Amino acid sequence: MTVYTTMASPLGDLLLVGEETSDGLTLTALSMPGQKNAPAVRPGWRHDAEAFADITRQLEAYFAGELSQFDIAFTDGGTDFQQRVWRALEEIPYGTTTTYGALAQQLGLPRERVQALGAAIGANPLLLVRPCHRVIGADGSMRGYAGGVECKVRLLTHEGALQPTLI
């Protein structure tokens, strides 16, 4: 059974989608307002905020600066290549960044596969908990982020990987 809820966050309302199994809930998607290719609530999905209580608690603790690593069960989807890239994303420590090139090198990908790497990162259905926002351009620029570059900057600033901008 697919269940969902929304929760308020500093980035706007987050949509959490999961699958109920005999072992409990597994998260299948976490999306932000305005996100490219974000899932939309479908007929037959059941709203169940209580099913997401632990995940919501962890996300609230993250935004409060009290949690730097999530302990959330999620459903593995995607191609073998995407899963390989996503596992590498999960290894990027809180408060740090890496580049597309460094991630490609870590995965043993030739230079011509960096675009495929970027596409796999962009297909990540678990924004925030699988930290694709920690991947930046080699020149330090904020390359694309499904939730929007502004959200990427806010997340990296929150984690201390970027210094706040004084305006």
Side-chain angles (χ1 to χ4, degrees):
M1 164 65 80
T2 301
V3 293
Y4 74 95
T5 195
T6 58
M7 69 169 280
S9 83
L11 304 174
D13 287 343
L14 303 179
L15 173 64
L16 288 73
V17 180
E19 290 294 327
E20 286 185 320
T21 68
S22 57
D23 297 328
L25 179 79
T26 60
L27 188 66
T28 58
L30 189 159
S31 58
M32 302 175 184
Q35 176 183 327
K36 293 182 229 169
N37 302 316
V41 176
R42 297 182 182 156
W45 288 9
R46 183 171 48 84
H47 183 264
D48 187 350
E50 184 57 34
F52 293 92
D54 182 59
I55 295 170
T56 301
R57 180 192 57 73
Q58 289 185 55
L59 290 166
E60 288 170 346
Y62 168 83
F63 285 117
E66 301 164 354
L67 183 73
S68 61
Q69 190 169 356
F70 296 102
D71 182 18
I72 296 173
F74 48 83
T75 303
D76 288 325
T79 66
D80 290 343
F81 179 73
Q82 287 172 330
Q83 288 180 23
R84 189 169 157 227
V85 171
W86 296 343
R87 281 191 300 273
L89 293 176
E90 294 164 10
E91 300 302 317
I92 305 169
Y94 179 94
T96 68
T97 60
T98 191
T99 65
Y100 291 91
L103 197 57
Q105 185 175 20
Q106 175 188 332
L107 292 168
L109 300 176
R111 188 165 183 78
E112 60 270 9
R113 296 282 292 162
V114 172
Q115 190 172 4
L117 171 82
I121 292 170
N124 173 20
L126 298 169
L127 297 191
L128 205 64
V129 297
R130 186 183 287 140
C132 53
H133 59 277
R134 297 180 188 154
V135 183
I136 62 174
D139 60 358
S141 62
M142 298 298 116
R143 302 282 186 217
Y145 181 60
V149 172
E150 181 181 315
C151 283
K152 183 175 193 164
V153 169
R154 289 180 68 188
L155 289 168
L156 291 174
T157 302
H158 169 73
E159 293 182 0
L162 291 178
Q163 294 300 310
T165 305
L166 298 176
I167 298 177

